[in-house]
Amino acid sequence: MNLVVRGCVLFLVGVFLALVLNLLQIQRNVTLFPPDVISSIFSSAWWVPLCCGTASAAIGLLYPCIDRHLGEPHKFKREWSSVMRCVAVFVGINHASAKVDFANNMQLSLTLAALSIGLWWTFDRSRSGFGLGIAIAFLATLVSQVLVYNGVYQYTSPDFLYVRSWLPCIFFAGGITVGNIGRQLAMYEYKLLTDKSHQE
């Protein structure tokens, strides 16, 4: 039952972040959706928040599971204030991708790559977190390429096949952020169960 609750919380976090971050991208005309798929109050396609929420739940549940499987409990900066700072930095990285004007996409991509790795170093520092972040970035970019290729939406000025070259950096940072939220929820649940067993 606790796994379901954690999954629901992570799903809601993913939906909220998708709505906020997608709104930033649409306002700057970074992503363009066909008029017939726009059907929400945030001028976003209805399926984007659902997909992001589902991915958020899967990633957030996967991180603590992988930590347990590898026998490497994640102990670096394990408090809610650190997780909230990580979320703020992730939103800032996404905001930079939409608002900051660079001379070309390569400069923006390299800057966002450095910021994303900095986010991992500041809030995670685990090998499993880095590996999962890379895997998530690869898979999410591949899915984005397929969706854009099939005309579901498009990016303005694509320079990495059909998408922007900085997109994997955003996915990497998002994976690390959601993974930290998932780890913190799992640790909170573990503390509650431990306290309950001590009381009994």
Side-chain angles (χ1 to χ4, degrees):
M1 186 61 184
N2 291 324
L3 193 68
V4 174
V5 172
R6 275 195 287 143
C8 290
V9 170
L10 288 161
F11 178 83
L12 293 174
V13 167
V15 168
F16 176 74
L17 286 175
L19 290 172
V20 171
L21 301 178
N22 203 31
L23 179 62
L24 287 174
Q25 301 289 337
I26 290 171
Q27 281 180 337
R28 291 284 290 183
N29 287 326
V30 175
T31 53
L32 302 173
F33 290 92
D36 56 330
V37 300
I38 295 177
S39 58
S40 84
I41 56 172
F42 290 100
S43 296
S44 170
W46 62 269
W47 52 268
V48 172
L50 294 179
C51 289
C52 290
T54 304
S56 175
I59 292 165
L61 293 174
L62 185 63
Y63 264 74
C65 182
I66 294 290
D67 289 341
R68 263 195 318 273
H69 181 69
L70 294 176
E72 296 179 1
H74 189 258
K75 296 178 180 176
F76 183 70
K77 291 193 175 180
R78 294 292 85 210
E79 65 275 342
W80 279 110
S81 60
S82 175
V83 172
M84 292 301 107
R85 284 195 300 273
C86 183
V87 171
V89 172
F90 170 60
V91 172
I93 290 172
N94 196 288
H95 191 66
S97 74
K99 297 279 187 183
V100 178
D101 292 320
F102 281 82
N104 56 50
N105 272 342
M106 188 52 66
Q107 285 182 355
L108 177 59
S109 300
L110 292 173
T111 302
L112 292 182
L115 290 172
S116 298
I117 291 172
L119 179 137
W120 167 78
W121 181 256
T122 305
F123 299 106
D124 190 320
R125 294 192 191 178
S126 68
R127 288 178 299 167
S128 59
F130 190 81
L132 278 171
I134 294 288
I136 290 161
F138 175 77
L139 288 173
T141 304
L142 184 66
V143 169
S144 297
Q145 296 277 14
V146 170
L147 291 174
V148 174
Y149 177 76
N150 288 312
V152 177
Y153 68 102
Q154 70 185 63
Y155 281 88
T156 55
S157 308
D159 65 328
F160 180 56
L161 294 180
Y162 306 105
V163 300
R164 296 278 187 97
S165 55
W166 44 258
L167 197 60
C169 304
I170 299 296
F171 288 137
F172 176 83
I176 298 297
T177 303
V178 171
N180 277 342
I181 295 170
R183 283 169 165 163
Q184 193 64 25
L185 287 171
M187 195 175 83
Y188 182 71
E189 177 185 310
Y190 175 76
K191 279 184 179 177
L192 285 178
L193 291 173
T194 305
D195 291 346
K196 190 175 179 181
S197 64
H198 284 317
Q199 287 171 1
E200 291 172 354

